[in-house]
Amino acid sequence: MQQEENHHLQKGALSWFLLSVLGVSYVISGSFAGWNFGFSVTSWFGMVIAVFLMGVMYFCLVLCLAEMSAALPSAAGGYKISRKVMGDIGGFATALAVLLEYSIAPAAIVIFIGQYLEVLWGLNGPLVYALFYITFVGLHLLGAGEALRLMLVITALAILAIAFTLVALVPHFDLSNLKAQATVLYSDQALLPSNPAGIWAAFPFAMWLFLAVEGVPLAAEEARDPAKDLPRGIIGAILFLVVSAFLIVTIIPGATGAYMVGSYGAPLVNALQHVLGMHSVLAKLVNLVGLAGLIASFFSIIFGYSRLVFAMSREGYLPRFMSAISTRKVPYWALIVPGIIGFICSLSGEGTLMINIAVIGATLSYILQSISYILLKQKYADLPRPYHAPGGSKTAFIALSLSLLAFTSCFAYDFTAAVIALGLLGMGLVYYLVWGSLTRHSQ
């Protein structure tokens, strides 16, 4: 594989529609597992409130990112703005938080893929993880346009599986099923939540229905018309995800019982088995296609981390060699090196721990990017903006407030994951301060 002298990606490879599909594919695996555990900490209505608040947080964040990425399109995504308004350290802290999310999430997803394969065909373990990393990193090496068109097919299969599940469950919907039974601390015994702490504790689970959609701007340099396509792409993705999130958290517990959904390992499949029988053909089909949902997110997040690492390397945050571009216009070291690190993390077999670490990185990045938007409005009011977020700084303040609540809720759910995440972020900041000092000294 030959390296080109420049450091530019393949321009014009992605339309606004492919950008929307990319945003959905980042998130789609969260529809197949994880969100349902929120019913173990709150009632159905409490979960709906949590999903609503997290949906508002993501929608506001996406509007701000749409404005920022259209004004300054870059593979750096939102952290380029953070660097502009908060300096090098602020920019690196934002980039590091996003990198933690995007480098750890694939490790969690490949573990879940292994669990699906074990149920289907008895296959799991390090060899499976290695095979998936090698295969999908290899596909990305073929080129952005080629890789994301394949992702379109995989994502479409996952969406169809969700649609078929919801349609099959609608005839079994009963309002009485939405009354949850108290099983753990924070739970409610009625339809309406009586304990606000339960809603707060459900935030991390509600986030799984939206997590990583903010990665669409990482494809900015490969969009056909960034000023128009980025806002359309990311807003289109979040609108689809908001609608699907409310359908999922209403129809599935309404057909099977909210208290039961909270204990499901694969909520879509288990719900179909509950109403159609353990040997349901549709349940088996959704179980198989559910694998496509996991693969779609695995595939697209690899794309996201490669563009982020490429940008961080190009701008001096990471070693320069990681911004090398192949003849196919893809950053090959930015694909390979984080893939090796992710594979090593996957050997732990702790998928839930990995995803919780990723959520900490995500919420911290939301806080920093919301602050960046507010500062950008104050310091660079005259910066040309092809797109303006409705509400401006008020929208950013909503995203910031909800991001702070989501960040604190992560500590309530998994304190160990939060400590590990903060430790990794601290190590990253120390690395940058030492690396930056050495770089400045060498100059």
Side-chain angles (χ1 to χ4, degrees):
M1 186 177 299
Q2 296 180 343
Q3 175 183 343
E4 293 190 351
E5 293 299 323
N6 60 47
H7 296 271
H8 299 287
L9 299 170
Q10 183 181 354
K11 296 182 182 298
L14 307 177
S15 65
W16 75 267
F17 180 72
L18 275 179
L19 289 169
S20 286
V21 175
L22 176 63
V24 173
S25 67
Y26 278 140
V27 184
I28 199 71
S29 63
S31 297
F32 288 87
W35 59 270
N36 55 298
F37 297 133
F39 290 105
S40 66
V41 297
T42 189
S43 70
W44 170 78
F45 196 65
M47 186 62 181
V48 168
I49 293 174
V51 170
F52 172 77
L53 291 175
M54 292 299 94
V56 170
M57 179 187 77
Y58 275 97
F59 193 75
C60 290
L61 178 69
V62 157
L63 292 175
C64 295
L65 288 175
E67 179 176 328
M68 292 191 293
S69 59
L72 293 170
S74 168
Y79 94 75
K80 183 173 183 178
I81 307 295
S82 299
R83 187 178 191 180
K84 186 177 183 68
V85 298
M86 295 193 291
D88 286 345
I89 294 180
F92 180 76
T94 304
L96 183 63
V98 179
L99 183 59
L100 181 64
E101 174 190 0
Y102 274 72
S103 59
I104 297 296
I109 295 171
V110 82
I111 292 171
F112 297 146
I113 288 173
Q115 293 172 353
Y116 261 77
L117 289 176
E118 186 171 15
V119 173
L120 290 169
W121 299 300
L123 301 173
N124 200 355
L127 289 178
V128 171
Y129 307 156
L131 178 62
F132 271 85
Y133 266 106
I134 291 171
T135 299
F136 289 99
V137 168
L139 288 171
H140 277 293
L141 292 172
L142 295 177
E146 293 80 356
L148 294 182
R149 287 182 180 87
L150 176 59
M151 178 208 66
L152 172 61
V153 176
I154 299 173
T155 304
L157 288 173
I159 292 172
L160 285 174
I162 294 171
F164 287 147
T165 299
L166 296 178
V167 170
L169 293 177
V170 165
H172 304 273
F173 183 87
D174 189 333
L175 284 175
S176 64
N177 287 330
L178 298 178
K179 294 184 178 180
Q181 294 180 356
T183 55
V184 296
L185 186 63
Y186 303 130
S187 290
D188 299 306
Q189 297 183 11
L191 184 65
L192 299 177
S194 59
N195 189 350
I199 301 173
W200 176 65
F203 282 176
F205 307 107
M207 285 179 62
W208 284 29
L209 293 163
F210 309 103
L211 184 70
V213 68
E214 74 279 1
V216 172
L218 295 173
E221 293 182 30
E222 290 149 293
R224 291 178 183 172
D225 185 351
K228 295 180 179 179
D229 291 341
L230 285 171
R232 290 176 183 174
I234 196 169
I235 292 173
I238 192 64
L239 287 173
F240 173 86
L241 292 168
V242 167
V243 173
S244 66
F246 279 102
L247 290 174
I248 286 169
V249 300
T250 300
I251 293 176
I252 293 179
T256 63
Y259 67 95
M260 294 187 65
V261 173
S263 63
Y264 285 160
L268 275 67
V269 176
N270 296 145
L272 289 171
Q273 290 173 335
H274 177 82
V275 301
L276 301 178
M278 291 299 296
H279 302 291
S280 164
V281 174
L282 181 58
K284 292 179 180 179
L285 179 62
V286 170
N287 192 24
L288 180 62
V289 180
L291 185 62
L294 293 169
I295 291 174
S297 291
F298 182 71
F299 192 56
S300 56
I301 293 176
I302 287 175
F303 173 90
Y305 79 54
S306 69
R307 272 49 183 178
L308 178 63
V309 170
F310 162 80
M312 292 178 70
S313 169
R314 187 177 59 182
E315 297 183 19
Y317 283 145
L318 293 175
R320 184 70 172 174
F321 79 90
M322 296 182 75
S323 59
I325 298 294
S326 73
T327 55
R328 289 182 174 270
K329 295 286 188 178
V330 294
Y332 55 93
W333 284 119
L335 281 162
I336 294 169
V337 173
I340 293 172
I341 295 172
F343 170 69
I344 293 172
C345 292
S346 72
L347 297 178
S348 68
E350 298 291 337
T352 301
L353 177 66
M354 293 296 106
I355 202 69
N356 290 334
I357 293 172
V359 167
I360 290 287
T363 52
L364 183 58
S365 75
Y366 304 160
I367 293 169
L368 294 172
Q369 289 179 90
S370 298
I371 293 173
S372 297
Y373 178 89
I374 295 168
L375 293 176
L376 186 72
K377 282 288 195 183
Q378 295 174 351
K379 295 182 177 182
Y380 298 92
D382 296 331
L383 179 71
R385 292 171 170 83
Y387 172 80
H388 291 269
S393 294
K394 293 179 182 178
T395 300
F397 274 114
I398 294 172
L400 174 60
S401 300
L402 292 172
S403 297
L404 287 167
L405 284 174
F407 181 72
T408 58
S409 71
C410 294
F411 287 81
Y413 171 62
D414 192 337
F415 186 77
T416 300
V419 170
I420 293 173
L422 293 181
L424 291 172
L425 291 169
M427 291 170 59
L429 285 173
V430 170
Y431 158 80
Y432 173 69
L433 292 174
V434 173
W435 173 265
S437 177
L438 292 174
T439 302
R440 287 191 296 271
H441 182 71
S442 65
Q443 293 174 344

